[in-house]
Amino acid sequence: MKVAIASDHGGINIREEIKSLMNELGIEFEDFGCECDTSVDYPDYALPVAEKVANGEFDRGILVCGTGIGMSIAANKVKGIRCALVHDVFSAKVTRQHNDSNILAMGERVIGPGLAREIAKAWLTSEFEAGRHANRIGKISDYEEKNR
Ligand code: RB5
């Protein structure tokens, strides 16, 4: 599995925490910034990561900003992206099992690095259950095909 990770200035610490987790888990990743001391715009980081996941260059993405909200809104504009904004371990697991989420968004002003690490670990190690859930995701994909 190859993971693309990025944050804005509001998510740098959690981004570093998750990079260290992925190193421990032996998960290949690439960091797409930001290299920022000052304020940057989250769509400039969310959209390239989402495109790399949508086009198959990366299997999954992780995005961090202050709330996770801006990153998730932007990423979900890209066709084929199912970005889940998650701040608890239960949802991290279930959004992989049921929604086959391909991007995880978190907010560094909402949760601390310890919880973020547990969330990312659950999300990175849980698998899609398919079955009835695949049918539901198919309805979202069909809508995307017809309306974009
Ligand atoms: C940046 O101040 C902040 O708006 C951003 O990190 C994020 O929370 C947006 O949703």
Side-chain angles (χ1 to χ4, degrees):
M1 173 163 60
K2 267 175 70 181
V3 177
I5 187 166
S7 78
D8 73 358
H9 55 286
I12 294 170
N13 296 317
I14 283 183
R15 188 180 93 218
E16 291 308 313
E17 184 72 31
I18 304 311
K19 282 164 58 182
S20 118
L21 169 71
M22 289 194 285
N23 277 327
E24 283 169 29
L25 294 175
I27 293 173
E28 191 182 341
F29 66 87
E30 197 168 327
D31 183 351
F32 291 96
C34 65
E35 302 298 332
C36 39
D37 295 328
T38 53
S39 179
V40 296
D41 298 332
Y42 57 81
D44 295 339
Y45 297 89
L47 295 170
V49 164
E51 283 178 356
K52 287 173 206 303
V53 173
N55 71 21
E57 206 181 322
F58 287 81
D59 303 299
R60 299 215 215 146
I62 297 181
L63 295 167
V64 191
C65 65
T67 59
I69 297 171
M71 287 292 200
S72 61
I73 290 172
N76 278 317
K77 295 294 179 194
V78 176
K79 186 178 169 187
I81 292 303
R82 292 177 299 280
C83 175
L85 171 59
V86 174
H87 289 131
D88 68 277
V89 175
F90 172 78
S91 301
K93 187 175 168 190
V94 175
T95 190
R96 283 289 311 130
Q97 294 172 331
H98 291 194
N99 313 124
D100 197 17
S101 54
N102 48 15
I103 297 188
L104 169 68
M106 294 183 283
E108 184 169 309
R109 294 173 189 160
V110 183
I111 54 170
L115 178 54
R117 169 181 271 264
E118 291 307 309
I119 288 168
K121 190 172 181 182
W123 188 79
L124 287 164
T125 57
S126 298
E127 290 305 322
F128 182 44
E129 288 176 352
R132 68 188 190 279
H133 304 297
N135 187 42
R136 293 162 185 167
I137 286 171
K139 292 187 177 186
I140 299 170
S141 306
D142 290 349
Y143 179 87
E144 274 185 330
E145 284 301 327
K146 285 179 199 145
N147 292 284
R148 294 203 183 194

PDB file of all heavy atoms in Angstrom, residues 6-15 40-43 45-46 62-74 85 87 104-111:
ATOM      1  N   ALA A   6      -0.520  14.791   3.413  1.00  0.00           N
ATOM      2  CA  ALA A   6      -0.253  16.236   3.354  1.00  0.00           C
ATOM      3  C   ALA A   6      -1.024  16.916   4.480  1.00  0.00           C
ATOM      4  O   ALA A   6      -1.973  16.356   5.036  1.00  0.00           O
ATOM      5  CB  ALA A   6      -0.679  16.817   2.006  1.00  0.00           C
ATOM      6  N   SER A   7      -0.580  18.116   4.793  1.00  0.00           N
ATOM      7  CA  SER A   7      -1.318  18.942   5.756  1.00  0.00           C
ATOM      8  C   SER A   7      -1.157  20.408   5.369  1.00  0.00           C
ATOM      9  O   SER A   7      -0.262  20.742   4.587  1.00  0.00           O
ATOM     10  CB  SER A   7      -0.777  18.745   7.178  1.00  0.00           C
ATOM     11  OG  SER A   7       0.438  19.465   7.356  1.00  0.00           O
ATOM     12  N   ASP A   8      -1.998  21.247   5.937  1.00  0.00           N
ATOM     13  CA  ASP A   8      -1.711  22.680   5.887  1.00  0.00           C
ATOM     14  C   ASP A   8      -0.933  23.026   7.163  1.00  0.00           C
ATOM     15  O   ASP A   8      -0.503  22.140   7.919  1.00  0.00           O
ATOM     16  CB  ASP A   8      -2.994  23.506   5.667  1.00  0.00           C
ATOM     17  CG  ASP A   8      -3.905  23.561   6.897  1.00  0.00           C
ATOM     18  OD1 ASP A   8      -3.586  22.924   7.928  1.00  0.00           O
ATOM     19  OD2 ASP A   8      -4.942  24.236   6.816  1.00  0.00           O
ATOM     20  N   HIS A   9      -0.762  24.332   7.428  1.00  0.00           N
ATOM     21  CA  HIS A   9      -0.002  24.774   8.606  1.00  0.00           C
ATOM     22  C   HIS A   9      -0.667  24.333   9.913  1.00  0.00           C
ATOM     23  O   HIS A   9      -0.009  24.222  10.937  1.00  0.00           O
ATOM     24  CB  HIS A   9       0.131  26.304   8.584  1.00  0.00           C
ATOM     25  CG  HIS A   9      -1.205  26.986   8.484  1.00  0.00           C
ATOM     26  ND1 HIS A   9      -1.925  27.010   7.305  1.00  0.00           N
ATOM     27  CD2 HIS A   9      -1.964  27.619   9.411  1.00  0.00           C
ATOM     28  CE1 HIS A   9      -3.070  27.655   7.517  1.00  0.00           C
ATOM     29  NE2 HIS A   9      -3.120  28.022   8.783  1.00  0.00           N
ATOM     30  N   GLY A  10      -1.976  24.072   9.862  1.00  0.00           N
ATOM     31  CA  GLY A  10      -2.709  23.677  11.072  1.00  0.00           C
ATOM     32  C   GLY A  10      -2.601  22.202  11.405  1.00  0.00           C
ATOM     33  O   GLY A  10      -3.125  21.762  12.431  1.00  0.00           O
ATOM     34  N   GLY A  11      -1.912  21.422  10.553  1.00  0.00           N
ATOM     35  CA  GLY A  11      -1.898  19.969  10.773  1.00  0.00           C
ATOM     36  C   GLY A  11      -0.525  19.340  10.756  1.00  0.00           C
ATOM     37  O   GLY A  11      -0.399  18.112  10.665  1.00  0.00           O
ATOM     38  N   ILE A  12       0.504  20.158  10.886  1.00  0.00           N
ATOM     39  CA  ILE A  12       1.882  19.655  10.738  1.00  0.00           C
ATOM     40  C   ILE A  12       2.243  18.604  11.798  1.00  0.00           C
ATOM     41  O   ILE A  12       2.865  17.587  11.486  1.00  0.00           O
ATOM     42  CB  ILE A  12       2.884  20.831  10.798  1.00  0.00           C
ATOM     43  CG1 ILE A  12       2.684  21.740   9.581  1.00  0.00           C
ATOM     44  CG2 ILE A  12       4.319  20.336  10.839  1.00  0.00           C
ATOM     45  CD1 ILE A  12       3.451  23.052   9.655  1.00  0.00           C
ATOM     46  N   ASN A  13       1.850  18.827  13.032  1.00  0.00           N
ATOM     47  CA  ASN A  13       2.274  17.905  14.102  1.00  0.00           C
ATOM     48  C   ASN A  13       1.653  16.526  13.954  1.00  0.00           C
ATOM     49  O   ASN A  13       2.338  15.503  14.115  1.00  0.00           O
ATOM     50  CB  ASN A  13       1.945  18.499  15.480  1.00  0.00           C
ATOM     51  CG  ASN A  13       2.715  19.772  15.723  1.00  0.00           C
ATOM     52  OD1 ASN A  13       3.897  19.850  15.419  1.00  0.00           O
ATOM     53  ND2 ASN A  13       2.037  20.792  16.238  1.00  0.00           N
ATOM     54  N   ILE A  14       0.377  16.497  13.611  1.00  0.00           N
ATOM     55  CA  ILE A  14      -0.268  15.188  13.409  1.00  0.00           C
ATOM     56  C   ILE A  14       0.291  14.532  12.159  1.00  0.00           C
ATOM     57  O   ILE A  14       0.490  13.315  12.120  1.00  0.00           O
ATOM     58  CB  ILE A  14      -1.807  15.319  13.378  1.00  0.00           C
ATOM     59  CG1 ILE A  14      -2.311  15.476  14.818  1.00  0.00           C
ATOM     60  CG2 ILE A  14      -2.462  14.115  12.695  1.00  0.00           C
ATOM     61  CD1 ILE A  14      -3.807  15.540  14.991  1.00  0.00           C
ATOM     62  N   ARG A  15       0.577  15.320  11.143  1.00  0.00           N
ATOM     63  CA  ARG A  15       1.177  14.733   9.931  1.00  0.00           C
ATOM     64  C   ARG A  15       2.483  14.025  10.291  1.00  0.00           C
ATOM     65  O   ARG A  15       2.725  12.895   9.861  1.00  0.00           O
ATOM     66  CB  ARG A  15       1.431  15.834   8.888  1.00  0.00           C
ATOM     67  CG  ARG A  15       1.870  15.294   7.549  1.00  0.00           C
ATOM     68  CD  ARG A  15       2.108  16.424   6.565  1.00  0.00           C
ATOM     69  NE  ARG A  15       3.480  16.852   6.561  1.00  0.00           N
ATOM     70  CZ  ARG A  15       3.903  18.109   6.433  1.00  0.00           C
ATOM     71  NH1 ARG A  15       3.043  19.097   6.311  1.00  0.00           N
ATOM     72  NH2 ARG A  15       5.171  18.396   6.435  1.00  0.00           N
ATOM     73  N   VAL A  40      -1.090  28.692   4.849  1.00  0.00           N
ATOM     74  CA  VAL A  40      -1.263  28.268   3.448  1.00  0.00           C
ATOM     75  C   VAL A  40      -2.738  27.906   3.242  1.00  0.00           C
ATOM     76  O   VAL A  40      -3.521  27.902   4.195  1.00  0.00           O
ATOM     77  CB  VAL A  40      -0.360  27.053   3.107  1.00  0.00           C
ATOM     78  CG1 VAL A  40       1.107  27.408   3.205  1.00  0.00           C
ATOM     79  CG2 VAL A  40      -0.689  25.855   4.009  1.00  0.00           C
ATOM     80  N   ASP A  41      -3.086  27.586   1.995  1.00  0.00           N
ATOM     81  CA  ASP A  41      -4.485  27.292   1.667  1.00  0.00           C
ATOM     82  C   ASP A  41      -4.686  25.777   1.528  1.00  0.00           C
ATOM     83  O   ASP A  41      -4.089  25.149   0.643  1.00  0.00           O
ATOM     84  CB  ASP A  41      -4.886  27.987   0.366  1.00  0.00           C
ATOM     85  CG  ASP A  41      -4.774  29.502   0.489  1.00  0.00           C
ATOM     86  OD1 ASP A  41      -4.909  30.019   1.617  1.00  0.00           O
ATOM     87  OD2 ASP A  41      -4.556  30.154  -0.546  1.00  0.00           O
ATOM     88  N   TYR A  42      -5.549  25.200   2.367  1.00  0.00           N
ATOM     89  CA  TYR A  42      -5.698  23.738   2.392  1.00  0.00           C
ATOM     90  C   TYR A  42      -6.069  23.114   1.039  1.00  0.00           C
ATOM     91  O   TYR A  42      -5.620  22.002   0.749  1.00  0.00           O
ATOM     92  CB  TYR A  42      -6.671  23.288   3.504  1.00  0.00           C
ATOM     93  CG  TYR A  42      -8.051  23.897   3.421  1.00  0.00           C
ATOM     94  CD1 TYR A  42      -9.011  23.393   2.560  1.00  0.00           C
ATOM     95  CD2 TYR A  42      -8.397  24.995   4.196  1.00  0.00           C
ATOM     96  CE1 TYR A  42     -10.262  23.958   2.474  1.00  0.00           C
ATOM     97  CE2 TYR A  42      -9.637  25.572   4.118  1.00  0.00           C
ATOM     98  CZ  TYR A  42     -10.573  25.046   3.244  1.00  0.00           C
ATOM     99  OH  TYR A  42     -11.811  25.612   3.167  1.00  0.00           O
ATOM    100  N   PRO A  43      -6.841  23.787   0.146  1.00  0.00           N
ATOM    101  CA  PRO A  43      -7.132  23.112  -1.138  1.00  0.00           C
ATOM    102  C   PRO A  43      -5.874  22.845  -1.963  1.00  0.00           C
ATOM    103  O   PRO A  43      -5.841  21.888  -2.753  1.00  0.00           O
ATOM    104  CB  PRO A  43      -8.056  24.100  -1.866  1.00  0.00           C
ATOM    105  CG  PRO A  43      -8.643  24.940  -0.779  1.00  0.00           C
ATOM    106  CD  PRO A  43      -7.557  25.069   0.252  1.00  0.00           C
ATOM    107  N   TYR A  45      -3.278  21.586  -1.009  1.00  0.00           N
ATOM    108  CA  TYR A  45      -2.697  20.317  -0.546  1.00  0.00           C
ATOM    109  C   TYR A  45      -3.702  19.161  -0.676  1.00  0.00           C
ATOM    110  O   TYR A  45      -3.320  18.047  -1.028  1.00  0.00           O
ATOM    111  CB  TYR A  45      -2.205  20.472   0.903  1.00  0.00           C
ATOM    112  CG  TYR A  45      -1.114  21.507   0.924  1.00  0.00           C
ATOM    113  CD1 TYR A  45      -1.415  22.860   1.090  1.00  0.00           C
ATOM    114  CD2 TYR A  45       0.205  21.148   0.654  1.00  0.00           C
ATOM    115  CE1 TYR A  45      -0.419  23.830   1.009  1.00  0.00           C
ATOM    116  CE2 TYR A  45       1.201  22.106   0.572  1.00  0.00           C
ATOM    117  CZ  TYR A  45       0.879  23.443   0.750  1.00  0.00           C
ATOM    118  OH  TYR A  45       1.861  24.386   0.647  1.00  0.00           O
ATOM    119  N   ALA A  46      -4.966  19.454  -0.424  1.00  0.00           N
ATOM    120  CA  ALA A  46      -5.989  18.395  -0.510  1.00  0.00           C
ATOM    121  C   ALA A  46      -6.192  17.924  -1.945  1.00  0.00           C
ATOM    122  O   ALA A  46      -6.267  16.713  -2.206  1.00  0.00           O
ATOM    123  CB  ALA A  46      -7.317  18.914   0.053  1.00  0.00           C
ATOM    124  N   ILE A  62      -3.909  10.635   3.331  1.00  0.00           N
ATOM    125  CA  ILE A  62      -4.205  11.155   4.673  1.00  0.00           C
ATOM    126  C   ILE A  62      -3.981  12.660   4.634  1.00  0.00           C
ATOM    127  O   ILE A  62      -2.926  13.129   4.182  1.00  0.00           O
ATOM    128  CB  ILE A  62      -3.330  10.483   5.752  1.00  0.00           C
ATOM    129  CG1 ILE A  62      -3.629   8.983   5.812  1.00  0.00           C
ATOM    130  CG2 ILE A  62      -3.568  11.144   7.120  1.00  0.00           C
ATOM    131  CD1 ILE A  62      -2.836   8.204   6.861  1.00  0.00           C
ATOM    132  N   LEU A  63      -4.985  13.421   5.086  1.00  0.00           N
ATOM    133  CA  LEU A  63      -4.942  14.883   5.040  1.00  0.00           C
ATOM    134  C   LEU A  63      -5.243  15.445   6.427  1.00  0.00           C
ATOM    135  O   LEU A  63      -6.189  15.001   7.079  1.00  0.00           O
ATOM    136  CB  LEU A  63      -5.986  15.402   4.041  1.00  0.00           C
ATOM    137  CG  LEU A  63      -5.746  15.029   2.576  1.00  0.00           C
ATOM    138  CD1 LEU A  63      -6.995  15.327   1.744  1.00  0.00           C
ATOM    139  CD2 LEU A  63      -4.534  15.778   2.024  1.00  0.00           C
ATOM    140  N   VAL A  64      -4.460  16.417   6.836  1.00  0.00           N
ATOM    141  CA  VAL A  64      -4.659  17.019   8.158  1.00  0.00           C
ATOM    142  C   VAL A  64      -4.686  18.537   8.018  1.00  0.00           C
ATOM    143  O   VAL A  64      -3.820  19.119   7.369  1.00  0.00           O
ATOM    144  CB  VAL A  64      -3.527  16.619   9.137  1.00  0.00           C
ATOM    145  CG1 VAL A  64      -3.896  17.024  10.564  1.00  0.00           C
ATOM    146  CG2 VAL A  64      -3.212  15.133   9.068  1.00  0.00           C
ATOM    147  N   CYS A  65      -5.682  19.168   8.629  1.00  0.00           N
ATOM    148  CA  CYS A  65      -5.694  20.634   8.755  1.00  0.00           C
ATOM    149  C   CYS A  65      -6.157  20.952  10.174  1.00  0.00           C
ATOM    150  O   CYS A  65      -6.106  20.088  11.050  1.00  0.00           O
ATOM    151  CB  CYS A  65      -6.539  21.298   7.662  1.00  0.00           C
ATOM    152  SG  CYS A  65      -8.303  20.943   7.685  1.00  0.00           S
ATOM    153  N   GLY A  66      -6.571  22.166  10.416  1.00  0.00           N
ATOM    154  CA  GLY A  66      -6.968  22.529  11.768  1.00  0.00           C
ATOM    155  C   GLY A  66      -8.160  21.716  12.249  1.00  0.00           C
ATOM    156  O   GLY A  66      -8.160  21.166  13.352  1.00  0.00           O
ATOM    157  N   THR A  67      -9.177  21.655  11.414  1.00  0.00           N
ATOM    158  CA  THR A  67     -10.393  20.917  11.771  1.00  0.00           C
ATOM    159  C   THR A  67     -10.541  19.615  10.998  1.00  0.00           C
ATOM    160  O   THR A  67     -11.358  18.770  11.373  1.00  0.00           O
ATOM    161  CB  THR A  67     -11.639  21.766  11.439  1.00  0.00           C
ATOM    162  OG1 THR A  67     -11.600  22.064  10.026  1.00  0.00           O
ATOM    163  CG2 THR A  67     -11.661  23.063  12.236  1.00  0.00           C
ATOM    164  N   GLY A  68      -9.842  19.495   9.891  1.00  0.00           N
ATOM    165  CA  GLY A  68     -10.051  18.377   8.962  1.00  0.00           C
ATOM    166  C   GLY A  68     -11.187  18.648   7.986  1.00  0.00           C
ATOM    167  O   GLY A  68     -11.339  17.933   6.988  1.00  0.00           O
ATOM    168  N   ILE A  69     -11.963  19.672   8.271  1.00  0.00           N
ATOM    169  CA  ILE A  69     -13.179  19.918   7.472  1.00  0.00           C
ATOM    170  C   ILE A  69     -12.829  20.444   6.075  1.00  0.00           C
ATOM    171  O   ILE A  69     -13.329  19.944   5.064  1.00  0.00           O
ATOM    172  CB  ILE A  69     -14.132  20.890   8.200  1.00  0.00           C
ATOM    173  CG1 ILE A  69     -14.614  20.268   9.512  1.00  0.00           C
ATOM    174  CG2 ILE A  69     -15.323  21.231   7.304  1.00  0.00           C
ATOM    175  CD1 ILE A  69     -15.390  21.232  10.413  1.00  0.00           C
ATOM    176  N   GLY A  70     -11.973  21.470   6.020  1.00  0.00           N
ATOM    177  CA  GLY A  70     -11.606  22.028   4.710  1.00  0.00           C
ATOM    178  C   GLY A  70     -10.964  20.980   3.819  1.00  0.00           C
ATOM    179  O   GLY A  70     -11.298  20.860   2.629  1.00  0.00           O
ATOM    180  N   MET A  71     -10.054  20.211   4.385  1.00  0.00           N
ATOM    181  CA  MET A  71      -9.386  19.154   3.619  1.00  0.00           C
ATOM    182  C   MET A  71     -10.406  18.152   3.089  1.00  0.00           C
ATOM    183  O   MET A  71     -10.332  17.734   1.922  1.00  0.00           O
ATOM    184  CB  MET A  71      -8.367  18.420   4.496  1.00  0.00           C
ATOM    185  CG  MET A  71      -7.103  19.197   4.796  1.00  0.00           C
ATOM    186  SD  MET A  71      -6.094  19.427   3.304  1.00  0.00           S
ATOM    187  CE  MET A  71      -4.495  19.776   4.042  1.00  0.00           C
ATOM    188  N   SER A  72     -11.365  17.756   3.926  1.00  0.00           N
ATOM    189  CA  SER A  72     -12.324  16.733   3.479  1.00  0.00           C
ATOM    190  C   SER A  72     -13.279  17.302   2.440  1.00  0.00           C
ATOM    191  O   SER A  72     -13.604  16.619   1.461  1.00  0.00           O
ATOM    192  CB  SER A  72     -13.077  16.127   4.671  1.00  0.00           C
ATOM    193  OG  SER A  72     -13.815  17.098   5.354  1.00  0.00           O
ATOM    194  N   ILE A  73     -13.698  18.539   2.604  1.00  0.00           N
ATOM    195  CA  ILE A  73     -14.590  19.142   1.593  1.00  0.00           C
ATOM    196  C   ILE A  73     -13.875  19.189   0.251  1.00  0.00           C
ATOM    197  O   ILE A  73     -14.438  18.793  -0.778  1.00  0.00           O
ATOM    198  CB  ILE A  73     -15.029  20.567   2.027  1.00  0.00           C
ATOM    199  CG1 ILE A  73     -15.986  20.491   3.212  1.00  0.00           C
ATOM    200  CG2 ILE A  73     -15.692  21.304   0.859  1.00  0.00           C
ATOM    201  CD1 ILE A  73     -16.327  21.851   3.827  1.00  0.00           C
ATOM    202  N   ALA A  74     -12.636  19.658   0.248  1.00  0.00           N
ATOM    203  CA  ALA A  74     -11.885  19.781  -1.014  1.00  0.00           C
ATOM    204  C   ALA A  74     -11.648  18.402  -1.636  1.00  0.00           C
ATOM    205  O   ALA A  74     -11.893  18.202  -2.835  1.00  0.00           O
ATOM    206  CB  ALA A  74     -10.561  20.498  -0.761  1.00  0.00           C
ATOM    207  N   LEU A  85     -13.864  12.272   7.269  1.00  0.00           N
ATOM    208  CA  LEU A  85     -13.370  13.107   8.375  1.00  0.00           C
ATOM    209  C   LEU A  85     -13.643  12.348   9.663  1.00  0.00           C
ATOM    210  O   LEU A  85     -14.804  12.096  10.010  1.00  0.00           O
ATOM    211  CB  LEU A  85     -14.099  14.452   8.372  1.00  0.00           C
ATOM    212  CG  LEU A  85     -13.860  15.366   9.563  1.00  0.00           C
ATOM    213  CD1 LEU A  85     -12.383  15.709   9.721  1.00  0.00           C
ATOM    214  CD2 LEU A  85     -14.689  16.635   9.439  1.00  0.00           C
ATOM    215  N   HIS A  87     -12.693  11.483  13.850  1.00  0.00           N
ATOM    216  CA  HIS A  87     -12.059  11.872  15.107  1.00  0.00           C
ATOM    217  C   HIS A  87     -12.282  10.838  16.217  1.00  0.00           C
ATOM    218  O   HIS A  87     -12.192  11.155  17.404  1.00  0.00           O
ATOM    219  CB  HIS A  87     -12.541  13.266  15.540  1.00  0.00           C
ATOM    220  CG  HIS A  87     -11.995  14.351  14.667  1.00  0.00           C
ATOM    221  ND1 HIS A  87     -12.762  15.344  14.108  1.00  0.00           N
ATOM    222  CD2 HIS A  87     -10.731  14.570  14.222  1.00  0.00           C
ATOM    223  CE1 HIS A  87     -11.997  16.133  13.367  1.00  0.00           C
ATOM    224  NE2 HIS A  87     -10.766  15.679  13.406  1.00  0.00           N
ATOM    225  N   LEU A 104      -8.347   9.684   4.513  1.00  0.00           N
ATOM    226  CA  LEU A 104      -8.678   9.979   5.911  1.00  0.00           C
ATOM    227  C   LEU A 104      -8.321  11.438   6.178  1.00  0.00           C
ATOM    228  O   LEU A 104      -7.202  11.866   5.874  1.00  0.00           O
ATOM    229  CB  LEU A 104      -7.847   9.078   6.833  1.00  0.00           C
ATOM    230  CG  LEU A 104      -7.859   9.403   8.330  1.00  0.00           C
ATOM    231  CD1 LEU A 104      -9.233   9.146   8.942  1.00  0.00           C
ATOM    232  CD2 LEU A 104      -6.793   8.574   9.064  1.00  0.00           C
ATOM    233  N   ALA A 105      -9.271  12.199   6.729  1.00  0.00           N
ATOM    234  CA  ALA A 105      -8.991  13.582   7.137  1.00  0.00           C
ATOM    235  C   ALA A 105      -9.134  13.692   8.645  1.00  0.00           C
ATOM    236  O   ALA A 105     -10.035  13.092   9.246  1.00  0.00           O
ATOM    237  CB  ALA A 105      -9.942  14.551   6.442  1.00  0.00           C
ATOM    238  N   MET A 106      -8.229  14.468   9.248  1.00  0.00           N
ATOM    239  CA  MET A 106      -8.293  14.709  10.697  1.00  0.00           C
ATOM    240  C   MET A 106      -7.963  16.174  10.980  1.00  0.00           C
ATOM    241  O   MET A 106      -7.310  16.838  10.171  1.00  0.00           O
ATOM    242  CB  MET A 106      -7.286  13.818  11.438  1.00  0.00           C
ATOM    243  CG  MET A 106      -7.606  12.356  11.361  1.00  0.00           C
ATOM    244  SD  MET A 106      -6.448  11.321  12.311  1.00  0.00           S
ATOM    245  CE  MET A 106      -5.037  11.310  11.211  1.00  0.00           C
ATOM    246  N   GLY A 107      -8.390  16.644  12.146  1.00  0.00           N
ATOM    247  CA  GLY A 107      -8.151  18.030  12.541  1.00  0.00           C
ATOM    248  C   GLY A 107      -7.282  18.125  13.777  1.00  0.00           C
ATOM    249  O   GLY A 107      -7.633  17.601  14.840  1.00  0.00           O
ATOM    250  N   GLU A 108      -6.163  18.802  13.622  1.00  0.00           N
ATOM    251  CA  GLU A 108      -5.195  18.908  14.725  1.00  0.00           C
ATOM    252  C   GLU A 108      -5.653  19.841  15.838  1.00  0.00           C
ATOM    253  O   GLU A 108      -5.151  19.780  16.961  1.00  0.00           O
ATOM    254  CB  GLU A 108      -3.852  19.385  14.159  1.00  0.00           C
ATOM    255  CG  GLU A 108      -2.754  19.441  15.175  1.00  0.00           C
ATOM    256  CD  GLU A 108      -1.397  19.663  14.543  1.00  0.00           C
ATOM    257  OE1 GLU A 108      -1.041  18.932  13.601  1.00  0.00           O
ATOM    258  OE2 GLU A 108      -0.703  20.590  14.992  1.00  0.00           O
ATOM    259  N   ARG A 109      -6.641  20.705  15.541  1.00  0.00           N
ATOM    260  CA  ARG A 109      -7.169  21.570  16.595  1.00  0.00           C
ATOM    261  C   ARG A 109      -8.336  20.892  17.307  1.00  0.00           C
ATOM    262  O   ARG A 109      -8.951  21.483  18.197  1.00  0.00           O
ATOM    263  CB  ARG A 109      -7.589  22.917  15.999  1.00  0.00           C
ATOM    264  CG  ARG A 109      -6.394  23.693  15.462  1.00  0.00           C
ATOM    265  CD  ARG A 109      -6.780  24.956  14.723  1.00  0.00           C
ATOM    266  NE  ARG A 109      -5.608  25.525  14.073  1.00  0.00           N
ATOM    267  CZ  ARG A 109      -5.646  26.387  13.061  1.00  0.00           C
ATOM    268  NH1 ARG A 109      -6.805  26.792  12.582  1.00  0.00           N
ATOM    269  NH2 ARG A 109      -4.539  26.846  12.521  1.00  0.00           N
ATOM    270  N   VAL A 110      -8.640  19.654  16.890  1.00  0.00           N
ATOM    271  CA  VAL A 110      -9.769  18.915  17.463  1.00  0.00           C
ATOM    272  C   VAL A 110      -9.272  17.772  18.351  1.00  0.00           C
ATOM    273  O   VAL A 110      -9.816  17.541  19.431  1.00  0.00           O
ATOM    274  CB  VAL A 110     -10.663  18.345  16.334  1.00  0.00           C
ATOM    275  CG1 VAL A 110     -11.883  17.645  16.906  1.00  0.00           C
ATOM    276  CG2 VAL A 110     -11.081  19.448  15.366  1.00  0.00           C
ATOM    277  N   ILE A 111      -8.265  17.048  17.865  1.00  0.00           N
ATOM    278  CA  ILE A 111      -7.744  15.894  18.620  1.00  0.00           C
ATOM    279  C   ILE A 111      -6.226  16.017  18.777  1.00  0.00           C
ATOM    280  O   ILE A 111      -5.581  16.750  18.031  1.00  0.00           O
ATOM    281  CB  ILE A 111      -8.077  14.545  17.931  1.00  0.00           C
ATOM    282  CG1 ILE A 111      -7.587  14.543  16.476  1.00  0.00           C
ATOM    283  CG2 ILE A 111      -9.558  14.235  18.021  1.00  0.00           C
ATOM    284  CD1 ILE A 111      -7.651  13.179  15.814  1.00  0.00           C
TER     285      ILE A 111
END
